[in-house]
Structures are given as structure tokens and as C-alpha cells.
Amino acid sequence: MHFIQPDLHTRRAFLRRAGQLAFTGAALPTALNLAAMGEAAALDATDYKALVCVFLNGGNDYANTVIPYDTATYDLYSAVRGGGANRTAGGIALAHAALGPTLLDPTAALPNGRQYALHPSMPGLAGLFNSGAAAVQLNVGPLVAPITRQQYNGSNRALYPLPPKLFSHNDQQSVWQSSQPEGATTGWGGHLGDLALAANSSNRVLTCVSVTGNTVFLSGDQALSYQVSTSGAVKIGAVTGNVYNSPQVRAAIAQLAQQTRTHVLENEYNLVTARAVGAENALSTALAARPANTAPFNAFPTSNNLADQLKMVARLIAARDDLGNRRQVFFVSMGGFDLHDNLVNGQATLMTRLSEALTAFHNATAALGVADKVTTFTASDFGRTLTSNGDGSDHGWGSHHVVVGGGVKGKAFYGKAPPVSVGNSTVDANDQWHVGQGRLLPSTSVDQYAATMATWFGVQGAEMNGILPQLGNFGGVDYPTNLGFMA
């Protein structure tokens, strides 16, 4: 069987672009490192849609995020993790009695009486699920192609390839975002942006927007990540700011930095600068006309940087018509999930902030009348081990993730519910979904997860191959290329 591997066309495109703009990245903030944008294959978009990736840096612990609730499965979970109602020293299972308020009530019950609850610190997100505005994708993670536990344990990597550099933070963050290890230059969000450029008539540089710094996820062949802060557009101080308290000096620098030059590299540098200044002016003007709608976010008084990032995304969405945007991809993130210790207390704080931020953001999109046009999804380096290392959990592979939005077929679980096992034949010889220490072998690939949202976004036919080159390795009943969680 031939497995499709990511090709090098995106890298070659990057190198061509870098050869033309070799020094702009060093001279300007990355928020303004905007390459020349040619014509891309276009999404035929007349409405508005946005995808928002919420990346959980460090590898979120799946087993204490989406927690077994039915008695039989909870007892297995508690026995493996230690703790629960009879917490032992070093135990990391959460008490069953605390899970009632976040019990998930799907429209269609899971097989074998399986039930799940969210972390007790996530009542807002549980409410979104139970109201139909959110869904859970079970056991998703990077895969090159379908693989069983026996094939994983075998040695024939030509027949049964694995994602590169499993269990490495930097590499798996990159694989999630680009299907390639650290050093990748384009991501699937950026390739969505490539297709969306033509749909955004006036401000194409705002097609892919990050509120959390540079990210490979939003870099395409033509679309690049435009970076903003939680307070707005990033300025070039010497061009738009107050220079020596002299308007004349500022005007002279602005002219020098943007005027036409005869040297091709100097001229391209100034074109990029002029485009950056124009984008900043347009964005600042639009945001000034769209003050922050703080009401949904004020419901949660705690300091929450993720909520601040999503508040800026909501403002950018509110300004979509002013800016001429019909398709956008956003990236936000929060860190702190590498909890080798202090898992119980540390994750509780993180889950509170995640739930509050996602709930407030969804409510803000509803207030804007675009809840069905905005889909927000979580991603992370990897899941973690089901077993405890003493006070936390170690690097894993598959994980459970949530998708939120009015276009989501919510109040439902998608994918296969894995057994509670450590992947040891003495525990369950028939368990195909664990590869030791309770690391989940994904039963759903990131490519399937991404393709489902890309289809909703408007990607059709062969366009999908340029966005997710490994998707052709999946298909059929067990590995459908559309998982069904989008309307």
C-alpha cells in the first residue's frame, strides 16, 4: 500500500518568497512580514465563515478533561489513576461526586452505557454541549494512516508509518498544525487562507490572524499570519508613532519607508511596509468603530488571557464587513498544560479559564448574530498517559477535543470511545487503542478532524488534497473523511 507523505511544494514556495523578501523579517515585526500575495484558487464565498483554533500548549490531560462517569468505567478510571472517592497518595482521579454538574447528556446515548462528564471546573462548556452548541471528538491525534496496536509495536515502518517524533512537544505541536515536525513552513490553516484570499475583497492580509504570536498553523503559500495583540493592531513606531515629538521627522521616515525605489529588494521592502501601514490603519479604524462587547466576557471576573484573545477575535469578526472579510482563520492559545506534577490543582485552574473563555466567546458570536458562522475547536500537542507518574501524567498521543459553534451538530460525541486501559495484555488483550501507560493510539486522525471543518468552510474536491495531503490515506466506514460533526 502506498502512503501519501507531505510533499515539498509548500517549502519550495516559501523559499521562492524568502528569496524575494530575504531581509524583511529581520527589519520588521513578524506581524508585518507580509509577502506579495498572488492569485490563489478561490473559495466561492458570498457569506461569512470563520474557524478559530484554540491551542492548548503543553499537552492537555484528556482523562481529566472528558471523564468517564458511568459506574463501571469510572471505577476502572479511578483504579488506574488512583484517587476518586478514596484518593490515595499521588492519586490523580477526580471524585465522582464532583462530576454531576458537568455530566454530558448527548441526544444519542453511547454504546454499552458509557457516560462522560467534563472537568468539574467546566460548567459553562458542559452547558454549551447540553444545549447543542458543542460536541466532543473522542480520541483524535496525528496519524499518517490507520494503524493498530500490533502494527505500532511491529518494526515494519514502511508498511505502518508513524507520525514523526511522537511525544515531543515542539514536533507534535507542528504536526498537529502542519502534518510535519518542527521546521515546517506552512500549516493547514494557512492553506485554508490561500483558498480564501480571493473571497476577502479589500483586506486580504487579515485572512489569517493570530492573537498569540507567530504560528505555522496560519502560514500558507500566499497567506501569512497577520499578528495582532489583545489590544489591537501592531504599529511600526517609526512610521506611525511619535518620533522625537516631531511630525516632520515622522513624515520623513514614513516617506522613506514607503516610497518607490529602483532596487528590486528595496522596492519590495517598501511595498511590504506600505501594505503593513495600510493594514494597521484599516484595522485600527475598524476596531475603533467596533468597541469591545464586554458583556459576555464580564460574566467571568477572573483574569483570563485566553478570554482577552478571544475578545479581540470577536471584535475582528464584528468588523468583518468594514474590512471586507468573508473567510477568516484565527489562532489563539494558552499554555501551562505540561503537568507532570500538580495535575489536579493545576489543570483545575486551566479548565476554568478555558471553559469561561469558550463560553463567553460563543455568547459574543451569538450576540453578533454569527454563532452559526463561527466554529471554534481545541487542539493540543498530545494527550497524556492514563497512569499517574506520582502527581501528574506524562506525554501521550491521542486526546479528546471539543468543537463549539452554531454550525456544530452538538449535544453529541463523535469517534470511538476508548476502553479505560493501560494497554497491557494483562489488563485487556483485545484493547486496540492504548500503546502503554494509557497512551491513546488515535482512532481518528487530525486530517479527518481538519477535513470536516474545511468542508464546512467551503473547501471542495481536489482542493482538499493541497490542504491535507495525507487525507487520502483515510476513508471508509472506520476512518471517514467527514466525521459528521458540522452541519
Side-chain angles (χ1 to χ4, degrees):
M1 180 176 181
H2 174 67
F3 295 108
I4 302 169
Q5 299 283 4
D7 61 37
L8 298 177
H9 77 280
T10 54
R11 179 171 176 80
R12 288 195 293 267
F14 172 81
L15 292 173
R16 286 196 301 271
R17 189 166 63 227
Q20 294 171 346
L21 298 171
F23 56 89
T24 59
L28 292 176
T30 33
L32 307 172
N33 184 8
L34 308 174
M37 293 182 176
E39 290 301 318
L43 291 172
D44 183 16
T46 58
D47 60 349
Y48 178 81
K49 286 185 178 179
L51 275 176
V52 184
C53 177
V54 178
F55 206 90
L56 312 178
N57 289 307
N60 183 39
D61 185 276
Y62 76 87
N64 278 9
T65 301
V66 182
I67 305 163
Y69 185 82
D70 61 281
T71 301
T73 314
Y74 177 84
D75 287 347
L76 290 171
Y77 152 88
S78 181
V80 172
R81 300 213 108 181
N86 302 304
R87 184 177 300 281
T88 58
I92 57 173
L94 300 179
H96 191 271
L99 303 178
T102 54
L103 177 63
L104 301 180
D105 182 24
T107 301
L110 288 167
N112 304 316
R114 178 69 67 90
Q115 291 178 294
Y116 284 108
L118 292 184
H119 191 285
S121 297
M122 306 181 85
L125 190 54
L128 291 181
F129 180 98
N130 290 331
S131 70
V136 172
Q137 177 64 52
L138 296 166
N139 192 14
V140 57
L143 288 172
V144 175
I147 189 171
T148 67
R149 190 178 77 182
Q150 287 74 19
Q151 292 162 351
Y152 169 86
N153 288 330
S155 58
N156 194 336
R157 289 291 162 250
L159 283 178
Y160 308 115
L162 295 175
K165 301 183 179 180
L166 282 173
F167 318 129
S168 157
H169 283 294
N170 292 351
D171 292 291
Q172 293 310 299
Q173 288 171 11
S174 181
V175 169
W176 251 96
Q177 297 175 34
S178 71
S179 301
Q180 299 175 71
E182 186 176 21
T185 57
T186 59
W188 59 269
H191 289 310
L192 286 175
D194 288 337
L195 294 177
L197 286 176
N200 294 334
S201 56
S202 55
N203 273 291
R204 297 165 69 186
V205 298
L206 300 177
T207 301
C208 296
V209 182
S210 171
V211 199
T212 187
N214 195 31
T215 169
V216 70
F217 176 72
L218 293 181
S219 181
D221 287 332
Q222 298 171 16
L224 290 184
S225 172
Y226 184 87
Q227 296 175 43
V228 301
S229 72
T230 55
S231 58
V234 179
K235 299 178 182 290
I236 304 177
V239 176
T240 61
N242 186 1
V243 184
Y244 301 122
N245 294 315
S246 171
Q248 292 80 11
V249 173
R250 181 183 63 192
I253 292 176
Q255 181 181 9
L256 287 169
Q258 300 176 75
Q259 66 185 191
T260 301
R261 299 296 185 96
T262 57
H263 191 285
V264 63
L265 292 181
E266 289 181 345
N267 194 56
E268 189 63 29
Y269 181 94
N270 281 15
L271 284 173
V272 170
T273 304
R275 188 161 50 246
V277 171
E280 184 272 318
N281 286 338
L283 182 55
S284 294
T285 300
L287 290 177
R290 304 285 180 177
N293 178 8
T294 60
F297 294 92
N298 288 345
F300 305 107
T302 58
S303 176
N304 189 330
N305 181 257
L306 180 63
D308 291 340
Q309 294 175 52
L310 288 171
K311 186 189 301 183
M312 176 51 61
V313 173
R315 292 183 65 192
L316 291 166
I317 291 172
R320 65 197 181 280
D321 291 334
D322 302 339
L323 294 167
N325 297 132
R326 290 178 175 171
R327 287 290 187 275
Q328 290 181 288
V329 187
F330 296 95
F331 189 86
V332 299
S333 70
M334 63 185 299
F337 288 91
D338 192 21
L339 293 170
H340 291 276
D341 52 23
N342 196 35
L343 172 64
V344 172
N345 293 329
Q347 195 187 30
T349 299
L350 296 170
M351 293 293 98
T352 297
R353 291 173 180 167
L354 177 62
S355 178
E356 290 178 352
L358 291 177
T359 304
F361 180 66
H362 177 74
N363 291 341
T365 63
L368 290 169
V370 294
D372 62 331
K373 305 296 184 184
V374 180
T375 297
T376 306
F377 64 98
T378 62
S380 189
D381 318 15
F382 36 63
R384 302 188 77 84
T385 57
L386 183 64
T387 58
S388 171
N389 63 14
D391 192 31
S393 54
D394 294 323
H395 298 181
W397 190 353
S399 190
H400 307 322
H401 287 285
V402 296
V403 189
V404 179
V408 174
K409 295 180 182 178
K411 201 174 170 64
F413 295 95
Y414 295 85
K416 299 178 178 70
V420 176
S421 166
V422 295
N424 186 316
S425 60
T426 61
V427 176
D428 184 354
N430 298 312
D431 174 18
Q432 290 296 312
W433 304 117
H434 291 84
V435 291
Q437 296 181 267
R439 290 187 174 98
L440 289 180
L441 190 165
S443 52
T444 299
S445 72
V446 173
D447 297 76
Q448 296 169 268
Y449 187 56
T452 304
M453 291 180 280
T455 300
W456 169 84
F457 198 69
V459 178
Q460 300 180 16
E463 292 173 339
M464 195 71 78
N465 295 331
I467 295 169
L468 300 163
Q470 294 177 157
L471 187 64
N473 294 334
F474 301 91
V477 175
D478 291 331
Y479 292 90
T481 55
N482 190 324
L483 299 170
F485 58 74
M486 297 303 304

